[in-house]
Short mmCIF file of all heavy atoms in Angstrom, two decimals:
data_model
loop_
_atom_site.label_atom_id
_atom_site.label_comp_id
_atom_site.label_asym_id
_atom_site.label_seq_id
_atom_site.Cartn_x
_atom_site.Cartn_y
_atom_site.Cartn_z
N ALA A 1 77.56 -1.14 25.87
CA ALA A 1 78.02 -1.88 27.08
C ALA A 1 79.07 -2.87 26.56
O ALA A 1 79.11 -3.18 25.33
CB ALA A 1 76.88 -2.62 27.76
N ILE A 2 79.82 -3.44 27.44
CA ILE A 2 80.73 -4.46 27.12
C ILE A 2 80.67 -5.59 28.17
O ILE A 2 80.44 -5.33 29.33
CB ILE A 2 82.20 -3.89 27.10
CG1 ILE A 2 83.26 -4.99 26.55
CG2 ILE A 2 82.67 -3.35 28.40
CD1 ILE A 2 84.58 -4.41 26.27
N ALA A 3 80.72 -6.78 27.73
CA ALA A 3 80.69 -7.93 28.61
C ALA A 3 82.01 -8.67 28.45
O ALA A 3 82.44 -9.04 27.35
CB ALA A 3 79.52 -8.94 28.22
N LEU A 4 82.68 -8.88 29.54
CA LEU A 4 83.90 -9.59 29.57
C LEU A 4 83.80 -11.02 30.12
O LEU A 4 83.20 -11.15 31.16
CB LEU A 4 85.01 -8.83 30.33
CG LEU A 4 85.15 -7.32 29.86
CD1 LEU A 4 86.08 -6.63 30.88
CD2 LEU A 4 85.68 -7.29 28.51
N PHE A 5 84.37 -11.95 29.41
CA PHE A 5 84.27 -13.42 29.90
C PHE A 5 85.56 -14.02 30.00
O PHE A 5 86.43 -13.76 29.14
CB PHE A 5 83.38 -14.24 28.93
CG PHE A 5 81.97 -13.66 28.82
CD1 PHE A 5 81.57 -12.82 27.97
CD2 PHE A 5 80.98 -14.18 29.68
CE1 PHE A 5 80.29 -12.28 27.88
CE2 PHE A 5 79.66 -13.75 29.63
CZ PHE A 5 79.35 -12.84 28.68
N TRP A 6 85.83 -14.84 30.97
CA TRP A 6 87.05 -15.64 31.07
C TRP A 6 86.64 -17.02 31.23
O TRP A 6 85.52 -17.42 31.51
CB TRP A 6 87.71 -15.15 32.31
CG TRP A 6 88.57 -13.97 32.05
CD1 TRP A 6 89.94 -13.93 31.80
CD2 TRP A 6 88.20 -12.58 32.15
NE1 TRP A 6 90.34 -12.59 31.72
CE2 TRP A 6 89.30 -11.76 31.82
CE3 TRP A 6 87.00 -11.97 32.35
CZ2 TRP A 6 89.20 -10.37 31.87
CZ3 TRP A 6 86.85 -10.67 32.37
CH2 TRP A 6 87.98 -9.90 32.00
N ASN A 7 87.65 -17.94 30.97
CA ASN A 7 87.32 -19.40 31.12
C ASN A 7 87.87 -19.93 32.46
O ASN A 7 88.12 -21.13 32.66
CB ASN A 7 87.86 -20.12 30.01
CG ASN A 7 89.37 -20.02 29.85
OD1 ASN A 7 89.93 -19.14 30.57
ND2 ASN A 7 89.95 -20.85 29.02
N GLU A 8 87.96 -19.10 33.52
CA GLU A 8 88.36 -19.42 34.79
C GLU A 8 87.34 -18.85 35.79
O GLU A 8 86.84 -17.76 35.69
CB GLU A 8 89.75 -18.90 35.19
CG GLU A 8 90.86 -19.42 34.26
CD GLU A 8 92.18 -18.86 34.63
OE1 GLU A 8 92.35 -18.43 35.76
OE2 GLU A 8 92.99 -18.74 33.82
N HIS A 9 87.08 -19.72 36.79
CA HIS A 9 86.11 -19.21 37.93
C HIS A 9 86.98 -18.58 38.89
O HIS A 9 88.06 -18.95 39.27
CB HIS A 9 85.40 -20.33 38.55
CG HIS A 9 84.31 -20.92 37.73
ND1 HIS A 9 83.08 -20.28 37.56
CD2 HIS A 9 84.15 -22.03 36.94
CE1 HIS A 9 82.36 -20.93 36.77
NE2 HIS A 9 82.92 -22.06 36.39
N VAL A 10 86.43 -17.44 39.44
CA VAL A 10 87.07 -16.72 40.48
C VAL A 10 86.24 -16.94 41.74
O VAL A 10 85.08 -16.71 41.78
CB VAL A 10 87.15 -15.21 40.23
CG1 VAL A 10 87.76 -14.46 41.43
CG2 VAL A 10 87.98 -14.94 38.97
N HIS A 11 86.87 -17.55 42.75
CA HIS A 11 86.13 -17.81 44.01
C HIS A 11 86.29 -16.65 45.00
O HIS A 11 87.43 -16.27 45.24
CB HIS A 11 86.71 -19.09 44.70
CG HIS A 11 86.46 -20.33 43.97
ND1 HIS A 11 85.29 -21.04 44.00
CD2 HIS A 11 87.26 -21.00 43.05
CE1 HIS A 11 85.45 -22.08 43.22
NE2 HIS A 11 86.59 -21.99 42.60
N SER A 12 85.21 -16.04 45.37
CA SER A 12 85.25 -14.93 46.35
C SER A 12 83.89 -14.83 46.99
O SER A 12 82.89 -15.44 46.52
CB SER A 12 85.57 -13.65 45.58
OG SER A 12 84.34 -13.14 44.83
N ASP A 13 83.73 -14.08 47.94
CA ASP A 13 82.49 -13.88 48.68
C ASP A 13 81.49 -13.29 47.73
O ASP A 13 80.27 -13.47 47.86
CB ASP A 13 82.67 -13.04 49.88
CG ASP A 13 83.40 -13.68 50.97
OD1 ASP A 13 83.52 -14.99 50.95
OD2 ASP A 13 84.04 -13.04 51.84
N ALA A 14 81.96 -12.40 46.78
CA ALA A 14 81.09 -11.72 45.90
C ALA A 14 80.41 -12.68 44.88
O ALA A 14 79.37 -12.39 44.31
CB ALA A 14 81.87 -10.63 45.12
N SER A 15 80.93 -13.87 44.72
CA SER A 15 80.27 -14.82 43.70
C SER A 15 79.07 -15.51 44.29
O SER A 15 78.31 -16.21 43.61
CB SER A 15 81.37 -15.85 43.26
OG SER A 15 81.69 -16.74 44.34
N ASN A 16 78.80 -15.37 45.57
CA ASN A 16 77.61 -15.84 46.25
C ASN A 16 77.35 -17.35 45.89
O ASN A 16 76.22 -17.73 45.60
CB ASN A 16 76.38 -15.05 45.87
CG ASN A 16 76.43 -13.62 46.36
OD1 ASN A 16 76.98 -13.45 47.48
ND2 ASN A 16 76.06 -12.63 45.49
N GLY A 17 78.38 -18.14 45.85
CA GLY A 17 78.21 -19.57 45.61
C GLY A 17 77.97 -19.96 44.21
O GLY A 17 77.55 -21.14 43.90
N PHE A 18 78.16 -19.09 43.18
CA PHE A 18 78.00 -19.41 41.79
C PHE A 18 78.66 -20.60 41.37
O PHE A 18 78.13 -21.47 40.71
CB PHE A 18 78.29 -18.17 40.92
CG PHE A 18 78.16 -18.48 39.56
CD1 PHE A 18 77.00 -18.35 38.86
CD2 PHE A 18 79.32 -18.79 38.67
CE1 PHE A 18 76.87 -18.76 37.50
CE2 PHE A 18 79.20 -19.11 37.38
CZ PHE A 18 77.98 -19.02 36.77
N PHE A 19 79.97 -20.66 41.65
CA PHE A 19 80.78 -21.76 41.20
C PHE A 19 80.20 -23.04 41.63
O PHE A 19 80.02 -24.04 40.87
CB PHE A 19 82.23 -21.62 41.62
CG PHE A 19 83.06 -22.73 41.26
CD1 PHE A 19 83.62 -22.79 40.01
CD2 PHE A 19 83.44 -23.79 42.15
CE1 PHE A 19 84.42 -23.89 39.62
CE2 PHE A 19 84.18 -24.93 41.76
CZ PHE A 19 84.76 -24.83 40.54
N GLU A 20 79.82 -23.19 42.99
CA GLU A 20 79.32 -24.45 43.46
C GLU A 20 77.99 -24.79 42.81
O GLU A 20 77.66 -25.92 42.55
CB GLU A 20 79.16 -24.24 44.95
CG GLU A 20 80.47 -24.20 45.77
CD GLU A 20 81.13 -22.85 45.70
OE1 GLU A 20 80.53 -21.86 45.25
OE2 GLU A 20 82.37 -22.76 45.92
N GLU A 21 77.14 -23.73 42.56
CA GLU A 21 75.84 -23.98 41.99
C GLU A 21 75.85 -24.52 40.60
O GLU A 21 75.01 -25.31 40.19
CB GLU A 21 74.98 -22.76 42.02
CG GLU A 21 74.61 -22.29 43.41
CD GLU A 21 73.59 -23.14 44.08
OE1 GLU A 21 72.73 -23.63 43.36
OE2 GLU A 21 73.61 -23.28 45.35
N VAL A 22 76.82 -24.06 39.75
CA VAL A 22 76.84 -24.46 38.40
C VAL A 22 77.54 -25.85 38.16
O VAL A 22 77.48 -26.37 36.97
CB VAL A 22 77.51 -23.43 37.46
CG1 VAL A 22 76.64 -22.15 37.51
CG2 VAL A 22 78.92 -23.17 37.80
N GLN A 23 78.15 -26.40 39.12
CA GLN A 23 78.82 -27.69 38.94
C GLN A 23 77.92 -28.80 38.52
O GLN A 23 78.29 -29.60 37.67
CB GLN A 23 79.58 -28.03 40.23
CG GLN A 23 80.71 -27.14 40.67
CD GLN A 23 81.65 -26.98 39.46
OE1 GLN A 23 82.38 -27.83 38.92
NE2 GLN A 23 81.77 -25.71 38.97
N GLU A 24 76.68 -28.83 38.98
CA GLU A 24 75.72 -29.86 38.60
C GLU A 24 75.43 -29.68 37.12
O GLU A 24 75.34 -30.70 36.38
CB GLU A 24 74.46 -29.77 39.46
CG GLU A 24 73.52 -30.88 39.26
CD GLU A 24 72.30 -30.88 40.18
OE1 GLU A 24 72.49 -30.46 41.32
OE2 GLU A 24 71.24 -31.16 39.65
N LEU A 25 75.22 -28.43 36.67
CA LEU A 25 74.95 -28.16 35.27
C LEU A 25 76.15 -28.60 34.40
O LEU A 25 76.00 -29.34 33.39
CB LEU A 25 74.64 -26.70 35.02
CG LEU A 25 73.38 -26.10 35.57
CD1 LEU A 25 73.21 -24.65 35.49
CD2 LEU A 25 72.19 -26.81 34.84
N TYR A 26 77.30 -28.29 34.85
CA TYR A 26 78.55 -28.65 34.10
C TYR A 26 78.65 -30.18 34.04
O TYR A 26 78.93 -30.69 32.91
CB TYR A 26 79.79 -28.14 34.77
CG TYR A 26 80.00 -26.65 34.66
CD1 TYR A 26 80.87 -25.96 35.46
CD2 TYR A 26 79.39 -25.88 33.64
CE1 TYR A 26 81.11 -24.61 35.36
CE2 TYR A 26 79.65 -24.51 33.54
CZ TYR A 26 80.59 -23.91 34.40
OH TYR A 26 80.78 -22.56 34.31
#
């Protein structure tokens, strides 16, 4: 398997609010 990571968040309906949820952790 391969896992690809970027240092930019992509905002889309598919992210299911991930960006917003991790802001408190960041």
Side-chain angles (χ1 to χ4, degrees):
I2 186 170
L4 304 174
F5 297 91
W6 279 262
N7 60 347
E8 295 180 27
H9 284 285
V10 177
H11 296 275
S12 75
D13 292 338
S15 67
N16 294 321
F18 173 80
F19 179 81
E20 293 76 15
E21 292 289 327
V22 298
Q23 292 310 296
E24 187 175 324
L25 290 172
Y26 288 161

